């Protein structure tokens, strides 16, 4: 009985963690190294995440500094940043690349808020899918009595509500951060 609740909790926590990672990729006007985590560039014929071929630092609140481990990778990193949808022009400064974060316009803020809400809906759907799978598992198991089955389903629903509330709280925080001028 507790095994199913532990499994449920772990799977739902993974959904919340994935949502946090998705929110970190949204640009909020402040420099954040997580902005580049999903970007890959050409590295000797292979696609490699920028975070694995360069050091990323935040020297100022609105600036990222990318220092490639091999100075020959500067062109491919710049090309990857230009091809991405983060909307920042890289500045090559010797053997490093600077990304200056421009202030967000009101329209861009609203667009980012919608994107965050979309990520939130995806996370909620994932949590509900975990709930559905575990409810099905309980219904198919003949070892449960009717009372035990109802109790388990109630506990799973309670966990689902808690994790959806976490998603809503994270969304509210991120929306406030994005809309803050």
């Amino acid at each position: 009985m507790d095994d199913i609740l532990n499994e449920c909790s772990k799977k739902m926590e993974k959904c919340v963690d994935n949502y946090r990672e998705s929110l970190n990729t949204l640009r909020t006007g402040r420099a954040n190294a997580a902005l580049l985590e999903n970007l890959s560039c050409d590295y000797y014929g292979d696609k490699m995440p920028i975070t694995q071929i360069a050091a990323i630092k935040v020297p100022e609140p609105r600036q990222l500094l990318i220092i490639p481990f091999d100075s020959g990778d500067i062109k491919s990193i710049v090309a990857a940043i230009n091809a991405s949808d983060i909307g920042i022009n890289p500045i090559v400064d010797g053997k490093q690349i600077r990304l200056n974060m421009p202030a967000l316009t009101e329209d861009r803020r609203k667009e980012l808020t919608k994107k965050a809400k979309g990520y939130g809906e995806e996370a909620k759907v994932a949590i509900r899918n975990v709930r559905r799978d575990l409810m099905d598992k309980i219904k198919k198991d003949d070892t449960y009595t009717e009372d035990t089955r109802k109790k388990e389903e109630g506990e799973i629903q309670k966990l689902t509500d808690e994790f959806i509330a976490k998603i809503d709280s994270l969304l509210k925080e991120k929306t406030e951060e994005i809309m803050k001028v």
Side-chain angles (χ1 to χ4, degrees), residues 17-79:
D17 290 342
N18 287 339
Y19 180 57
R20 276 192 192 102
E21 289 175 18
S22 297
L23 288 181
N24 283 339
T25 63
L26 295 177
R27 188 167 67 102
T28 60
R30 292 187 58 88
N32 185 354
L35 187 65
L36 302 175
E37 279 183 5
N38 295 332
L39 288 183
S40 296
C41 66
D42 189 39
Y43 183 73
Y44 298 108
D46 289 333
K47 286 287 185 188
M48 189 73 105
I50 291 176
T51 54
Q52 291 185 4
I53 63 170
I56 301 171
K57 298 181 180 178
V58 184
E60 298 174 19
R62 289 186 167 240
Q63 186 179 78
L64 282 177
L65 184 64
I66 305 168
I67 306 167
F69 302 131
D70 179 8
S71 61
D73 297 330
I74 289 178
K75 287 181 183 176
S76 64
I77 292 173
V78 169

Side-chain angles (χ1 to χ4, degrees), residues 94-110:
K95 294 185 180 208
Q96 55 195 13
I97 304 165
R98 293 187 185 279
L99 296 177
N100 292 322
M101 305 288 158
L104 296 173
T105 63
E106 189 67 26
D107 291 339
R108 181 69 176 147
R109 289 178 196 279
K110 289 178 182 175

